[in-house]
Amino acid sequence: MKKILFIFSLMILSCTSQKTVVKKKEREEIKEVNMNKTDITNDSTNENTLDITLLTEGTHGGFKDAKTLIIKDPKELQEIYSQINMMRRPGLPIPEIDFENEMVIVLFMGEKTSGDYATKVEKVIEKDNSLEIVIKESVPKGITTTVICQPFYFCKINRSNKEIVFKKAD
């Protein structure tokens, strides 16, 4: 009986310690997301940076090839969401976008063979004749899970008819 009680106690303690590690990692991720949000909107250079609103991001976007899209039409947005929701139950909700005043930027990294890949729009710089969209991609460092994923990122910005130029962050 003492052996069973001892084994049961070890199992309980090991479960509790695992939860602590997960919660600590979640807090770090939340802190990182919050830091990134302030970095996006508080750029104090001479360039005119536009506000970016994150719509959704994830690791299974359903696109094997890397691509960047500018969506200015609700039908096109619905088509893209139907593709990424193909394997989800329930699917991601399609956001409400005012396409007269806003447009959506979509990034797909393509198919990757391990976890910890991510992509995002770091900032959007408005210049005289163009919008420069700076993309930051993060790649795994160290040991990661072996899983096939297709990282994606959706955000919205104010609508513009200027030429759009994509640039990778340094």
Side-chain angles (χ1 to χ4, degrees):
M1 183 69 171
K2 289 182 180 181
K3 287 182 181 181
I4 293 173
L5 186 57
F6 179 73
I7 292 171
F8 183 71
S9 298
L10 285 176
M11 287 177 28
I12 298 267
L13 289 173
S14 67
C15 291
T16 306
S17 65
Q18 185 69 21
K19 287 180 184 177
T20 305
V21 171
V22 171
K23 287 182 181 178
K24 183 177 179 183
K25 185 174 181 182
E26 288 174 355
R27 275 184 267 149
E28 289 172 359
E29 289 174 355
I30 289 169
K31 187 184 283 185
E32 183 178 326
V33 168
N34 289 338
M35 285 175 41
N36 290 341
K37 285 183 181 177
T38 56
D39 288 345
I40 289 171
T41 57
N42 293 335
D43 191 329
S44 60
T45 62
N46 290 340
E47 301 164 330
N48 185 20
T49 57
L50 300 181
D51 289 335
I52 301 167
T53 304
L54 174 66
L55 298 174
T56 189
E57 60 185 336
T59 57
H60 293 84
F63 285 85
K64 289 185 176 193
D65 298 321
K67 62 172 78 178
T68 55
L69 303 171
I70 300 296
I71 298 177
K72 296 182 178 182
D73 174 73
K75 287 182 183 178
E76 194 176 351
L77 184 65
Q78 178 137 12
E79 288 174 17
I80 296 298
Y81 265 86
S82 66
Q83 176 71 28
I84 65 169
N85 283 333
M86 202 176 297
M87 301 300 283
R88 287 183 170 79
R89 296 294 175 251
L92 297 172
I94 300 173
E96 299 275 332
I97 306 294
D98 175 11
F99 282 104
E100 288 185 21
N101 299 311
E102 300 170 325
M103 60 186 180
V104 177
I105 301 171
V106 182
L107 308 175
F108 292 103
M109 275 187 91
E111 194 167 270
K112 305 296 179 188
T113 57
S114 68
D116 286 348
Y117 281 93
T119 185
K120 72 175 191 171
V121 173
E122 190 167 86
K123 62 183 169 179
V124 178
I125 304 166
E126 186 174 25
K127 297 187 176 183
D128 291 336
N129 298 322
S130 65
L131 286 182
E132 186 176 284
I133 299 174
V134 181
I135 300 171
K136 182 177 181 181
E137 293 183 346
S138 57
V139 297
K141 296 176 181 129
I143 298 173
T144 63
T145 58
T146 302
V147 63
I148 294 178
C149 62
Q150 306 95 14
F152 66 94
Y153 176 93
F154 285 64
C155 69
K156 69 179 179 179
I157 62 171
N158 290 337
R159 189 177 180 111
S160 175
N161 291 324
K162 295 181 179 183
E163 178 187 3
I164 296 174
V165 178
F166 289 97
K167 177 184 172 185
K168 295 227 179 187
D170 299 328

